[in-house]
Amino acid sequence: METGATDAQVKVVAQRVDALGLKSHVIVGTERVVVAAIGEKREHFKDSLEVLEGVSAVVPIVAPYKMASLEVRGEPSCIEVLDFKAGAGQFGVIAGPCSVESEDQILQTARAVKAAGATALRGGAFKPRTSPYSFQGLKEDGLKMLAAARDETNLAIVTEVMGTGDVDLVAKYADVLQIGARNMQNYRLLEAVGAVGKPVLLKRGASATMDEFLLAAEYILNEGNPDVMLCERGIRTFEEHTRFTLPLASVPYLHRKTHLPVIIDPSHGTGHTYMVPDMAVAAVAAGADGLILEVHPDPSSAMSDGYQSLNFEGFERTMQRVNVVRQALASLS
């Protein structure tokens, strides 16, 4: 739309797009509004849209992922919930245990990570485990414990939803819905979390290409939910010295292709506690919009992923290093 286009003009354009059998999405930027027209054979309707009042140009989007593309929104998106902000120059830190194990454990962790600078609390209430005999999470009781931690600390709650039947329950307690790597291409689940309207943290599948990753995000965006964060958590390669291979080149690549914030997960990306601080710092230097880190009061006794979790002291030191790098980068801009 033209700069200064009125709300009425935007509404008319969106209605015309819908009347043509396409799906309209109105994207409000800081300088102008874009009306995305999603559907097949869009080029046939170019002339009928260009003549509408307030329209500056009708531009075809080349990328297969339309809503996620930087072509649609020419400026970075920022996701905000409670004290958590990520994207468009804002940096968010999500920290907490792999699994919620007890109320005391999650409250201890919430207090410690907030004191060290985290702005969101992670914790699994429903846990996807490779073995059916492993700890599967506390389910709704775990969600209630996370909510209690939020009430005390104002940390935004980030937790995984594993199935379409759990979406409403998890959304009742969580501030950000996490889609794990195993479910990146569970398209019905992506549509379900998109329809809820809460921010979504989408993790990259272990063998997913970048186009597949962005098209998965498109499923969520296509449901009318603009608040999607992309999480690089490592991919499966031939290497065995780490749990996964963490490709930090994903950060500048995604920033070149999409307006969505990019979060890095050094815990899953390496699988080794001693590597996590260095890779967290490297992610910041690469331009990441945030981090998600596993932190536990006593990693040696954790019910899941203790081998890649930081203790409170380790998290505090990591945050100190992260802040030094962020300040150094800010001084150059």
Side-chain angles (χ1 to χ4, degrees):
M1 302 296 293
E2 294 175 348
T3 301
T6 66
D7 291 343
Q9 290 172 332
V10 173
K11 184 177 180 179
V12 168
V13 173
Q15 289 174 338
R16 176 66 67 85
V17 167
D18 293 332
L20 291 170
L22 303 173
K23 187 174 183 179
S24 66
H25 285 289
V26 178
I27 304 166
V28 180
T30 55
E31 296 184 0
R32 66 172 64 200
V33 173
V34 172
V35 180
I38 308 298
E40 297 298 325
K41 300 181 180 178
R42 296 171 302 279
E43 66 275 5
H44 298 304
F45 305 121
K46 187 173 186 289
D47 293 342
S48 63
L49 293 171
E50 278 183 330
V51 298
L52 297 177
E53 290 187 11
V55 173
S56 173
V58 178
V59 182
I61 303 303
V62 177
Y65 37 89
K66 308 301 180 185
M67 298 296 296
S69 173
L70 202 56
E71 296 175 78
V72 168
R73 182 185 177 102
E75 58 195 27
S77 295
C78 180
I79 309 301
E80 298 185 33
V81 54
L82 298 180
D83 293 335
F84 176 83
K85 297 178 183 179
Q90 300 293 326
F91 189 83
V93 177
I94 307 164
C98 176
S99 302
V100 179
E101 299 168 4
S102 69
E103 186 169 8
D104 181 60
Q105 173 238 21
I106 201 65
L107 283 173
Q108 274 191 61
T109 305
R111 294 165 187 150
V113 299
K114 180 179 176 68
T119 48
L121 176 68
R122 62 155 293 156
F126 294 84
K127 292 304 301 176
R129 306 300 298 278
T130 302
S131 169
Y133 308 114
S134 299
F135 176 62
Q136 302 292 316
L138 298 178
K139 302 179 173 56
E140 187 171 8
D141 287 341
L143 293 172
K144 291 177 179 178
M145 294 172 190
L146 287 166
R150 175 185 55 213
D151 291 343
E152 179 178 322
T153 63
N154 206 45
L155 292 171
I157 299 302
V158 181
T159 193
E160 184 170 355
V161 56
M162 292 172 53
T164 54
D166 300 324
V167 171
D168 289 340
L169 174 63
V170 175
K172 177 181 175 183
Y173 295 96
D175 301 297
V176 177
L177 304 181
Q178 177 182 310
I179 299 296
R182 294 176 178 87
N183 275 319
M184 189 207 80
Q185 290 180 304
N186 183 341
Y187 300 124
R188 300 294 78 80
L189 179 58
L190 299 179
E191 290 171 341
V193 296
V196 168
K198 288 203 168 186
V200 177
L201 179 72
L202 176 65
K203 288 199 165 189
R204 182 184 181 185
S207 302
T209 66
M210 280 296 170
D211 274 5
E212 289 169 341
F213 190 22
L214 288 166
L215 283 167
E218 195 79 4
Y219 271 87
I220 303 169
L221 296 166
N222 192 46
E223 292 299 315
N225 184 350
D227 296 328
V228 178
M229 294 176 281
L230 302 172
C231 181
E232 174 59 83
R233 44 80 71 201
I235 56 175
R236 190 179 300 280
T237 70
F238 57 84
E239 284 292 357
E240 297 180 347
H241 72 289
T242 53
R243 183 178 182 183
F244 293 96
T245 296
L246 183 60
L248 292 181
S250 298
V251 178
Y253 179 84
L254 287 170
H255 281 159
R256 191 178 184 89
K257 296 294 182 180
T258 180
H259 55 88
L260 302 175
V262 181
I263 309 297
I264 295 296
D265 180 352
S267 301
H268 284 91
T270 63
H272 298 289
T273 300
Y274 78 92
M275 291 185 176
V276 171
D278 290 337
M279 296 310 294
V281 171
V284 175
D289 299 299
L291 297 167
I292 180 167
L293 300 163
E294 291 194 348
V295 181
H296 193 281
D298 180 15
S300 63
S301 66
M303 299 185 76
S304 57
D305 286 0
Y307 50 84
Q308 63 189 34
S309 299
L310 298 168
N311 59 22
F312 296 162
E313 183 182 356
F315 177 69
E316 184 178 7
R317 288 199 304 268
T318 299
M319 286 298 297
Q320 289 170 352
R321 295 177 61 192
V322 162
N323 289 332
V324 167
V325 174
R326 289 186 61 216
Q327 290 166 10
L329 291 174
S331 69
L332 297 174
S333 60

